[in-house]
Amino acid sequence: MKKSLALLLVLTLMLALLAGCASTGNAGASDEKVIKIGVFEPVTGENGGGGFQEVLGMRYANTKVPTVDLGGVTYKIELVEVDNKSDKTEAVTAAQSLMSSKVAVVLGSYGSGVSIAAGEIFKENKIPAIGASCTNPQVTLGNDYYFRVCFLDPFQGTVMANFALESGAKNAAVITQLGDDYSSGLGNFFLKAYEEKGGTIVAQEQFQTNQTDFKAILTNVKAANPDFIFAPSSIATAPLLIKQARELGITATIAAGDTWENTSIIDNAGADAEGVVLSTFFDENDTANPVAAEFVKGFKEYLKANPDSLSKNGGEGVAAVSALGYDAYMSAIEAIKAAGKADPEAIREALTKVTYTGVTGSIAFDENGDAKKDMAYIKTIKDGKFQFLKTVKVG
Amino acid sequence: MTEQTLVPVLELKDITMQFGGVVAVDNLSLQVHRGEIVALIGPNGAGKTTAFNVVTGVYAPTNGQVQFKGQTIAENFPRGKMETLYAGQNKGVYTAKVWPTPDLITKKGIARTFQNIRLFKNMTVFENVLIAKHMNMKAGFFSAAFHLNGREEEQMRQESLKLLEMVNLLDLKDEIADNLPYGKQRRLEIARALATAPDLLLLDEPAAGMNPQETHALTAFIRQIKKDFDLTILMIEHHMNLVMDISDRIYVIDFGELIATGTPEQVQNDPAVIAAYLGVDE
Amino acid sequence: MKLNNKKTYPMLSIAALVVLAVLLILLEINKNTFGMAVSILQKSAILAIVAVSMNLLNGFTGLFSLGQAGFMAIGAYVTAIFSIPTETIDSVYYTGGLAPWLKAMKVGLDVLPGFLQISLGILAGGLVAAVFAALIGIPVLRLKSDYLAIATLGFSEIIRAIISSPQMDKITNGSYGLKNIPGFALGLDFLPAGIGTLLVPFSVAGLCIGFMVLVIRSSYGRAFMAIREDGVAAEAMGINLLKHKEISFIISSFFTAVAGGLLAMFMRSIEARTFQITLTYDILLIVVIGGLGSITGSILSAFLVTAAKEWWLRFFDTPLVIGGVTIPLFRTGFRMVIFSLLLMLVVLFFRRGLMGNREFAWADLLSWPRNLSKKASSGPKTGKGGKKND
Amino acid sequence: MSLTTFIQHILTGVSLGGAYALIAIGYTLVYGILLLINFAHSDIFMMAGYFMIFAMATMPWPIAIPVVIVATVILGVLIEKAAYKPLRSAPRMSIMISSIGVSYLLQNLATYLFSALPKGYPTIAPLKKVFQLGPVSASLVTFLTPVLTLILVFILMYLINHTKLGMAMRAVSKDYDTSKLMGIKINQIISLTFVIGSTMAAIGSILYFTDRMSVTPFSGTLPGLKCFVAAVLGGIGSVPGAVLGGFIIGISETFLTALGYSTYSDAFTFMLLILILIFRPTGLIGETVTDKV
């Protein structure tokens, strides 16, 4: 019994090894000219849902622009996807595996924490990275190799504070997740901006990662009776927070940042989600930008052609992170073209000078590597759908 | 044993051990003198092992005092919940609380074996004995860890080997303790206790589970180690042949109380003992 | 550990070490080509330290502790605070800033070369963990095995909660984690550029494990094992239980924290969430597969499990297509299922793990082919079951 | 804190405590008999959550609930047969490692099968009906949880104290070896223990998740640990103790969070555990046991 089991075990391992070798062997066999672009995104874990939407944007971009011509030679662009599992420890190995795949540039990641963690590795290996939706200032700060196509949390916090005050909310409560830099950071920026502009913060509550019972903190919020509740958090947390708040009879507007633009929140929170407000990078119904209109049309067709992607995307809606993923890919292509070669160092140089009109507006990077953006879209949930409310500009 | 050498080594004074409402040892007093072999006998559940556990520091007595070579090694009086529950005697006589942990008792020179053998089963015979030398090691943690106490370590090993030779286990020194035959395990447990260089050896049913031949060998073995190591021995035993053969004096307890004491002949003819052992005639 | 009379073949050991060193240096020089291997080796070396520390406690002293993640967190945070370059400290603590006294300490330490600052940080991390271990050990180590497990696990969660609490913002940067932690090669200015990525973790691991092996082989190590085998009997042999359990707990925690410090350097950025219970479980997996009570088993297992988990078996997570047919089982998460099944298999059928409680010896390796043929002819000799240490 | 807020917190705390109590019973029963911390119990609870999601997808809730309970019981008993029974003679550490292994396996299996993303828990309409008592508002499940918990505990106590099987269970937990000699079918009793524990976990899971609305593969871990602490706090092996512990932890956790110490709410639970182990290892209403040497 034991012996045969042991044998089985060894055989499985051997098989695994063989398969592993085989799969890596195939990649090197083709003699086609290839430029590899790393996709460093979470497909599982806390941010798996959003991460996948971002990947979809990149995959779609790859079908739109699958090759690039450099000096008369056509190079095929190959996406090398790794899953960082929304986990910093995994992120390091995942990033390392991208490095050993010899990618020229990296795209991602959804979730600032993993981007920060991997940033050092990209920097060390001198591989430029383009973040799509990581909004924490720490991602690009002090890292010459990290760029991003989205706006930053201080900006987003200010936008939401402006919006709250404009809509007549004089008192606000802030709920943040402990140990999460996105949530704590954004909450903090909102708090500062809101108080600076004359609002009053009446309650400040925190909850722990994986906590699912928010009744205690919500009871406190209810007692403070705010007009506006700002609760930036993950997609997983959102429906729970919304439903429990409504159950306790809280009627104030609940608002959050870009992460909440995900249909799973509407699916899970149902009618309670009505009236929720969030800021985001992009609106699919914004027809002012022709690039965006074209992207939305093409992306929807791409989704329809891939039923699996469609179901994981949660329907036909075009998420802002997909648009950002697309823009990140396109900025990379622009930079490769400008550099004229697939050398990472040259691409990094080129990125500092790239200007490109993307789906989410015009993109150029400042000295930190952040996209210069001055506008955010505010959306609300109405009739079970995300609806464009207004745009907010901050000077 | 002749009268002029009566130096008390171990003295139990009014020891009562009570668990909740159950009195396991009731007001037990006994003396063991230098060079004696004393047996503590009694029917199952009489409280013999409990008495051993009090002497070796496993339990703090509820009331009473234990003296070893004239020094108090354990003393206690009923306190807390026991103060109201206490069912023993001599309440209020003892006022100090002395309860050293078992390792300190061993360091003072009392070694013991256990009713159900407690060897370090996955370690070798040699290691089992060598461990007893650890408590007297002079080297501190770091010098031991960095093996700077080479000479001391070597001495510990030599002493252990010598001991194994004296108890006839040298040829088995690299054997895993658990693999030894039963009789050898008993012998090893005694050897391990001897390695702590005790003055007083407590044997808890050393012949349990042995056949007559093995018991006979054990008798000779106990006599021999007593002589070789200049020991005083207190033992619990059910094998009456062994007890009557080897003991200088015998204490008989039943239901925690002392019912008789004296030489083997005196005890054998004591009516109280006969009553307690009725039907357990051996 | 048996006091066997096997020949030790010191020449072979030295040769093996030299070969290992040469291999490591070769890998380092070509680390652009072997990036993945280098990264796996770094992580394995770090986990090997934790695995051996856990084994010292669980396998040799018989104390079932599940507090590893907490002690690693302590080590990681202390090391990080010591080693983040002072000039970038404000950008790391961008919300609240670093506590003035810590900043003053960092400015003061800047007179030392970076390499020394980091070493000091790792040492300090170990010492802080050792102090914590000593303090909580006094009440907790009296507990029976399973209560000890839960209590240490609880302790590890407390540490994590404290680290991420807003009240600690000025020290641990609370929710935001720490970044800009220098990697292994940084600070070693006296070596050629880039050298150290492997040498540093391997030599630290060598020192740590070496020390623990020395302890285990000393009289104290025997006392630990005696406690594992039978606490009551050990006490009757004059061994002070609490003192020896404390020593074992402190050493184990010290080295766990040192490994935590190395992990911080490996990851370059840390947050409290890194040190969850699953981290402890991962290490337990390594120890159990390697064999409770075998140092070489733990080391071997640390390398095997890490490499398999992070590298070789990664393809379990990606869809496998053979001849145009997609094999259904292969998708994200399958790898971890395989690993948990492997653990259960070891626990249920190979309770002794890879090495049981034996250690690697050249003599065994050299006589292996002979033994193998002997075994084949005489049929398998079943050893005793798992160690009895209840 | 106003009276309304206070009452609202009490309600939340008692409801949470009730769910904890039901899970804690599973720990306390298994520990009483096998002296094993069943680390997998928290994941049985988590799996029950997923079972409900799948059951409710195809059937109405009055059918789904018994189906989920049966499925959870089968899972619990299966785990015992596969992972604990073969190790019955092994050292305790091996069984504990085995239970950690099962926990690890269930979590990874759930991640693999259902993804790590939270799945919405189906709404059992009558349970979610919101009641408004003056300014205090809560759904029915909040009121129902503690009541149902107490009813279940009384039934369980009756089973343990007044039936033959219950007597056998008590005997096994008092003295494993002797009960074996007395002809008690040990395996049957152990299975029964797991049946009861899993049933309670399944009911607890329905109440807990209905209130919290989503399940992830790691939903069970932290509540599980807290429930074990609850069992120890009340006195391991004692069912009323587990219930008492559950309520104490539920209420104190709620108030700590309410007072702004949510960081320390988990830490507090474990601090409580360490304190109780030092000062009263037998728990609040446990029995004293003396080790035999």
Side-chain angles (χ1 to χ4, degrees):
Chain A
M1 175 68 171
K2 271 190 187 178
K3 266 201 141 179
S4 52
L5 264 169
L7 205 68
L8 197 77
L9 205 71
V10 171
L11 273 176
T12 324
L13 274 172
M14 297 274 268
L15 208 75
L17 264 174
L18 273 176
C21 295
S23 64
T24 48
N26 286 340
S30 86
D31 47 43
E32 209 175 339
K33 297 274 185 191
V34 168
I35 296 177
K36 288 182 183 171
I37 296 187
V39 175
F40 176 68
E41 293 284 355
V43 188
T44 54
E46 204 180 356
N47 293 323
F52 189 74
Q53 289 180 323
E54 207 162 294
V55 174
L56 280 179
M58 294 167 189
R59 284 190 194 161
Y60 168 65
N62 187 231
T63 61
K64 288 276 287 181
V65 185
T67 58
V68 63
D69 292 328
L70 300 176
V73 184
T74 304
Y75 288 86
K76 183 173 177 282
I77 305 282
E78 187 188 311
L79 290 183
V80 182
E81 291 177 19
V82 291
D83 178 10
N84 61 39
K85 297 183 145 190
S86 334
D87 179 283
K88 275 195 180 178
T89 324
E90 290 283 340
V92 177
T93 11
Q96 199 65 57
S97 80
L98 279 181
M99 296 300 99
S100 57
S101 312
K102 300 267 161 282
V103 297
V105 53
V106 176
L107 308 180
S109 165
Y110 188 101
S112 297
V114 281
S115 303
I116 294 171
E120 293 288 333
I121 292 174
F122 301 149
K123 186 174 157 188
E124 210 163 82
N125 288 276
K126 298 198 183 342
I127 305 288
I130 308 171
S133 67
C134 36
T135 47
N136 191 294
Q138 289 275 296
V139 175
T140 54
L141 208 63
N143 188 339
D144 290 340
Y145 287 84
Y146 228 118
F147 299 82
R148 74 177 122 200
V149 295
C150 57
F151 52 60
L152 271 64
D153 283 341
F155 173 80
Q156 196 174 186
T158 314
V159 164
M160 287 315 282
N162 280 355
F163 171 78
L165 289 165
E166 277 168 25
S167 59
K170 294 271 174 288
N171 302 316
V174 179
I175 300 174
T176 54
Q177 178 180 348
L178 282 167
D180 183 89
D181 33 17
Y182 168 76
S183 175
S184 303
L186 185 50
N188 218 353
F189 292 122
F190 171 86
L191 191 143
K192 278 184 191 157
Y194 190 74
E195 284 187 330
E196 246 165 50
K197 291 177 200 296
T200 317
I201 299 290
V202 288
Q204 217 184 319
E205 300 286 337
Q206 282 119 2
F207 63 89
Q208 297 216 327
T209 310
N210 296 333
Q211 189 174 329
T212 49
D213 184 5
F214 305 103
K215 288 209 187 106
I217 55 174
L218 286 170
T219 304
N220 281 353
V221 169
K222 189 187 174 192
N225 197 22
D227 307 320
F228 194 83
I229 299 171
F230 189 60
S233 49
S234 69
I235 299 169
T237 313
L240 310 178
L241 201 82
I242 298 168
K243 286 187 94 164
Q244 291 178 19
R246 297 297 180 232
E247 198 175 286
L248 284 170
I250 295 175
T251 50
T253 307
I254 301 176
D258 55 292
T259 46
W260 280 24
E261 197 201 3
N262 189 300
T263 44
S264 80
I265 293 177
I266 304 180
D267 296 344
N268 285 327
D272 288 334
E274 294 290 304
V276 163
V277 177
L278 52 97
S279 62
T280 184
F281 314 96
F282 164 76
D283 178 51
E284 61 173 298
N285 300 318
D286 179 12
T287 45
N289 181 350
V291 186
E294 197 197 327
F295 164 75
V296 170
K297 190 164 159 276
F299 187 65
K300 284 192 172 171
E301 273 163 21
Y302 169 78
L303 280 181
K304 274 183 214 157
N306 296 285
D308 184 47
S309 304
L310 187 68
S311 78
K312 277 191 185 157
N313 187 46
E316 271 187 47
V318 182
V321 289
S322 302
L324 287 170
Y326 181 87
D327 276 357
Y329 179 87
M330 290 305 176
S331 323
I333 298 293
E334 290 298 318
I336 293 172
K337 279 189 202 155
K341 50 184 172 181
D343 171 50
E345 196 65 44
I347 296 174
R348 194 205 78 82
E349 272 303 311
L351 272 170
T352 58
K353 298 182 198 86
V354 155
T355 34
Y356 155 78
T357 307
V359 178
T360 61
S362 96
I363 289 165
F365 302 103
D366 65 12
E367 70 281 1
N368 279 332
D370 299 325
K372 297 170 195 155
K373 289 197 167 175
D374 60 352
M375 190 177 73
Y377 296 79
I378 306 282
K379 287 187 183 179
T380 184
I381 296 174
K382 207 179 156 199
D383 305 327
K385 282 200 176 80
F386 288 107
Q387 304 239 322
F388 173 71
L389 204 60
K390 65 196 282 193
T391 54
V392 175
K393 277 196 177 203
V394 175
Chain B
M1 188 89 334
T2 49
E3 290 294 321
Q4 65 266 28
T5 53
L6 282 184
V7 183
V9 172
L10 181 75
E11 256 190 294
L12 271 65
K13 293 182 180 171
D14 313 320
I15 290 294
T16 299
M17 188 69 227
Q18 195 176 340
F19 299 101
V22 182
V23 185
V25 177
D26 192 359
N27 210 40
L28 176 68
S29 295
L30 62 80
Q31 291 89 36
V32 180
H33 304 117
R34 178 171 301 282
E36 269 188 324
I37 296 182
V38 174
L40 185 59
I41 64 169
N44 281 326
K48 306 180 296 286
T49 299
T50 308
F52 263 33
N53 284 339
V54 167
V55 172
T56 52
V58 176
Y59 300 144
T62 314
N63 188 43
Q65 191 185 53
V66 182
Q67 286 200 333
F68 178 61
K69 296 199 281 192
Q71 184 194 3
T72 303
I73 56 168
E75 183 171 332
N76 206 358
F77 54 96
R79 283 176 309 168
K81 204 169 71 176
M82 272 307 150
E83 211 175 332
T84 46
L85 264 176
Y86 187 64
Q89 301 166 27
N90 296 87
K91 189 178 175 180
V93 174
Y94 300 92
T95 52
K97 180 173 167 75
V98 182
W99 181 29
T101 45
D103 54 299
L104 291 174
I105 301 277
T106 310
K107 280 182 189 158
K108 286 188 197 302
I110 302 178
R112 74 174 291 183
T113 64
F114 297 89
Q115 196 172 347
N116 40 350
I117 306 174
R118 280 177 174 268
L119 285 171
F120 306 125
K121 288 182 184 160
N122 288 298
M123 299 170 82
T124 62
V125 168
F126 179 52
E127 283 171 317
N128 263 281
V129 174
L130 191 53
I131 279 164
K133 299 290 175 198
H134 179 70
M135 66 172 186
N136 289 324
M137 207 170 64
K138 284 182 194 69
F141 173 71
F142 282 99
S143 66
F146 287 112
H147 295 246
L148 301 175
N149 59 337
R151 189 186 290 172
E152 190 181 21
E153 176 86 15
E154 188 54 36
Q155 195 193 343
M156 282 158 62
R157 282 166 191 268
Q158 288 310 329
E159 283 173 13
S160 304
L161 288 176
K162 199 174 147 219
L163 180 79
L164 283 176
E165 196 177 3
M166 287 170 80
V167 298
N168 245 337
L169 285 169
L170 190 60
D171 48 332
L172 293 170
K173 74 180 170 66
D174 291 326
E175 197 65 41
I176 296 291
D178 204 25
N179 295 349
L180 292 184
Y182 186 79
K184 290 272 189 332
Q185 291 197 14
R186 281 276 176 213
R187 180 173 285 229
L188 174 59
E189 206 192 11
I190 295 173
R192 190 182 64 176
L194 289 176
T196 65
D199 295 319
L200 173 67
L201 181 63
L202 306 184
L203 301 173
D204 196 345
E205 297 197 30
M210 286 189 173
N211 62 27
Q213 285 93 331
E214 283 173 324
T215 311
H216 191 71
L218 182 75
T219 314
F221 179 61
I222 292 174
R223 280 219 170 91
Q224 197 213 328
I225 57 168
K226 178 185 173 293
K227 188 165 120 270
D228 290 350
F229 294 88
D230 188 23
L231 286 173
T232 307
I233 294 174
L234 173 63
M235 62 188 240
I236 296 172
E237 192 45 74
H238 280 300
H239 276 252
M240 282 310 138
N241 290 342
L242 173 62
V243 171
M244 296 304 162
D245 188 8
I246 206 169
S247 318
D248 297 312
R249 284 189 304 122
I250 296 173
Y251 286 88
V252 190
I253 58 175
D254 194 15
F255 295 110
E257 280 182 79
L258 191 64
I259 55 170
T261 176
T263 62
E265 295 75 32
Q266 288 167 334
V267 166
Q268 260 170 321
N269 300 321
D270 192 304
V273 178
I274 294 167
Y277 270 91
L278 201 66
V280 200
D281 192 12
E282 284 207 17
Chain C
M1 186 209 54
K2 281 169 223 164
L3 294 162
N4 46 33
N5 300 324
K6 282 174 193 156
K7 281 178 84 171
T8 46
Y9 299 98
M11 288 315 284
L12 269 176
S13 304
I14 292 167
L17 271 179
V18 169
V19 169
L20 179 71
V22 168
L23 265 176
L24 289 182
I25 291 169
L26 276 178
L27 269 174
E28 285 213 44
I29 292 168
N30 299 307
K31 70 163 173 279
N32 290 333
T33 331
F34 300 106
M36 198 64 193
V38 168
S39 148
I40 295 295
L41 284 172
Q42 289 173 324
K43 198 169 181 187
S44 307
I46 296 168
L47 290 182
I49 303 178
V50 197
V52 173
S53 321
M54 190 178 196
N55 210 343
L56 173 72
L57 204 55
N58 294 24
F60 286 91
T61 322
L63 295 169
F64 200 79
S65 155
L66 292 176
Q68 277 68 22
F71 288 114
M72 284 178 86
I74 294 177
Y77 268 85
V78 174
T79 306
I81 292 170
F82 268 76
S83 56
I84 294 173
T86 312
E87 62 271 19
T88 65
I89 209 94
D90 287 327
S91 77
V92 173
Y93 288 82
Y94 66 102
T95 46
L98 181 66
W101 61 275
L102 267 175
K103 192 147 188 200
M105 183 200 77
K106 278 196 69 70
V107 172
L109 280 175
D110 272 347
V111 296
L112 297 174
F115 161 69
L116 269 182
Q117 285 186 42
I118 296 170
S119 317
L120 217 60
I122 291 182
L123 203 66
L127 289 176
V128 172
V131 169
F132 266 97
L135 289 179
I136 68 156
I138 294 168
V140 161
L141 290 175
R142 293 171 202 271
L143 304 173
K144 272 187 290 178
S145 62
D146 32 17
Y147 284 125
L148 176 69
I150 285 281
T152 44
L153 204 141
F155 168 75
S156 145
E157 282 294 294
I158 293 174
I159 291 285
R160 206 165 61 80
I162 291 174
I163 285 175
S164 63
S165 73
Q167 287 84 349
M168 292 289 279
D169 264 355
K170 283 185 186 305
I171 297 171
T172 61
N173 211 17
S175 296
Y176 310 99
L178 295 176
K179 67 161 204 164
N180 281 358
I181 304 164
F184 293 119
L186 298 180
L188 285 172
D189 311 325
F190 47 89
L191 287 177
I195 294 293
T197 42
L198 281 176
L199 236 43
V200 170
F202 270 82
S203 38
V204 175
L207 283 176
C208 294
I209 294 171
F211 180 75
M212 284 187 271
V213 168
L214 282 177
V215 170
I216 287 168
R217 289 200 175 161
S218 78
S219 187
Y220 280 88
R222 288 192 296 267
F224 294 162
M225 282 183 265
I227 293 171
R228 171 193 75 194
E229 295 291 314
D230 191 326
V232 173
E235 214 173 7
M237 287 300 105
I239 294 169
N240 184 334
L241 283 192
L242 189 62
K243 179 183 152 199
H244 285 81
K245 284 179 177 178
E246 276 264 317
I247 292 176
S248 174
F249 193 48
I250 290 172
I251 299 173
S252 170
S253 307
F254 178 87
F255 288 113
T256 306
V258 167
L262 292 181
L263 189 72
M265 295 175 74
F266 171 74
M267 289 177 57
R268 317 298 296 275
S269 78
I270 50 169
E271 59 180 352
R273 251 189 298 180
T274 312
F275 303 97
Q276 282 175 347
I277 301 169
T278 26
L279 180 62
T280 304
Y281 286 179
D282 286 345
I283 297 157
L284 180 69
L285 174 97
I286 290 176
V287 174
V288 170
I289 288 181
L292 269 169
S294 168
I295 297 287
T296 34
S298 286
I299 300 171
L300 206 65
S301 165
F303 281 84
L304 276 178
V305 170
T306 310
K309 205 159 125 186
E310 307 280 351
W311 192 14
W312 299 337
L313 301 187
R314 233 173 223 287
F315 71 93
F316 277 130
D317 271 5
T318 48
L320 181 69
V321 182
I322 294 177
V325 184
T326 313
I327 309 294
L329 285 174
F330 287 65
R331 63 186 155 90
T332 305
F334 192 50
R335 185 168 55 114
M336 289 316 291
V337 174
I338 298 274
F339 264 94
S340 10
L341 282 174
L342 193 69
L343 175 67
M344 285 314 294
L345 218 62
V346 170
V347 170
L348 291 176
F349 301 107
F350 306 93
R351 229 178 292 160
R352 298 164 58 77
L354 283 174
M355 300 287 288
N357 57 355
R358 285 163 301 150
E359 295 294 347
F360 172 83
W362 289 111
D364 287 343
L365 192 67
L366 294 176
S367 60
W368 187 53
R370 219 177 329 131
N371 282 348
L372 205 66
S373 56
K374 216 190 293 175
K375 250 185 198 167
S377 61
S378 67
K381 189 182 166 227
T382 41
K384 297 180 289 99
K387 285 198 311 293
K388 301 243 169 17
N389 39 2
D390 39 351
Chain D
M1 193 182 286
S2 72
L3 185 67
T4 318
T5 318
F6 183 76
I7 293 173
Q8 188 92 54
H9 282 315
I10 287 278
L11 206 56
T12 311
V14 169
S15 175
L16 180 65
Y20 280 173
L22 288 178
I23 310 168
I25 289 173
Y27 280 106
T28 220
L29 288 178
V30 171
Y31 194 92
I33 287 187
L34 286 182
L35 292 180
L36 161 75
I37 299 176
N38 186 7
F39 278 90
H41 191 64
S42 56
D43 302 289
I44 293 176
F45 161 81
M46 173 271 292
M47 287 304 265
Y50 279 107
F51 290 156
M52 192 66 183
I53 294 174
F54 289 105
M56 287 278 283
T58 50
M59 45 189 104
W61 65 267
I63 305 174
I65 289 177
V67 167
V68 167
I69 294 176
V70 170
T72 313
V73 165
I74 292 173
L75 179 70
V77 173
L78 219 64
I79 287 173
E80 194 276 319
K81 294 265 180 270
Y84 304 151
K85 200 174 165 213
L87 297 176
R88 202 141 292 161
S89 59
R92 269 167 76 183
M93 205 192 261
S94 298
I95 311 181
M96 191 150 65
I97 293 173
S98 180
S99 79
I100 292 177
V102 173
S103 163
Y104 198 69
L105 174 65
L106 285 178
Q107 285 175 9
N108 286 322
L109 201 64
T111 312
Y112 172 66
L113 294 175
F114 318 125
S115 92
L117 287 184
K119 285 238 184 293
Y121 199 73
T123 312
I124 301 170
L127 284 181
K128 285 306 279 182
K129 204 165 169 234
V130 176
F131 279 84
Q132 190 81 32
L133 288 178
V136 177
S137 97
S139 55
L140 177 65
V141 67
T142 313
F143 295 106
L144 187 67
T145 306
V147 179
L148 195 60
T149 304
L150 290 179
I151 294 173
L152 283 171
V153 168
F154 279 116
I155 296 175
L156 185 60
M157 289 305 290
Y158 179 83
L159 274 176
I160 291 178
N161 289 329
H162 299 282
T163 64
K164 223 170 173 183
L165 275 175
M167 199 141 66
M169 267 177 82
R170 279 186 296 150
V172 176
S173 79
K174 267 267 176 319
D175 193 328
Y176 186 94
D177 293 318
T178 312
S179 347
K180 211 166 164 182
L181 292 175
M182 291 303 182
I184 293 175
K185 289 185 183 114
I186 295 275
N187 284 330
Q188 193 190 333
I189 295 300
I190 291 173
S191 297
L192 179 69
T193 312
F194 276 81
V195 168
I196 296 174
S198 305
T199 310
M200 295 292 165
I203 299 171
S205 136
I206 293 170
L207 298 171
Y208 182 89
F209 286 123
T210 298
D211 217 6
R212 280 159 198 82
M213 303 162 222
S214 87
V215 188
T216 77
F218 307 98
S219 294
T221 315
L222 214 54
L225 282 171
K226 285 180 185 164
C227 292
F228 179 77
V229 175
V232 176
L233 181 65
I236 199 109
S238 146
V239 173
V243 175
L244 182 69
F247 280 116
I248 291 178
I249 286 186
I251 294 170
S252 48
E253 190 188 313
T254 306
F255 273 92
L256 269 177
T257 314
L259 292 173
Y261 297 105
S262 66
T263 337
Y264 298 112
S265 65
D266 299 344
F268 168 80
T269 311
F270 291 110
M271 204 67 98
L272 201 65
L273 170 79
I274 293 175
L275 288 179
I276 199 90
L277 287 178
I278 297 166
F279 293 108
R280 207 180 152 77
T282 49
L284 294 176
I285 40 180
E287 291 172 34
T288 328
V289 189
T290 319
D291 278 341
K292 203 170 156 61
V293 173

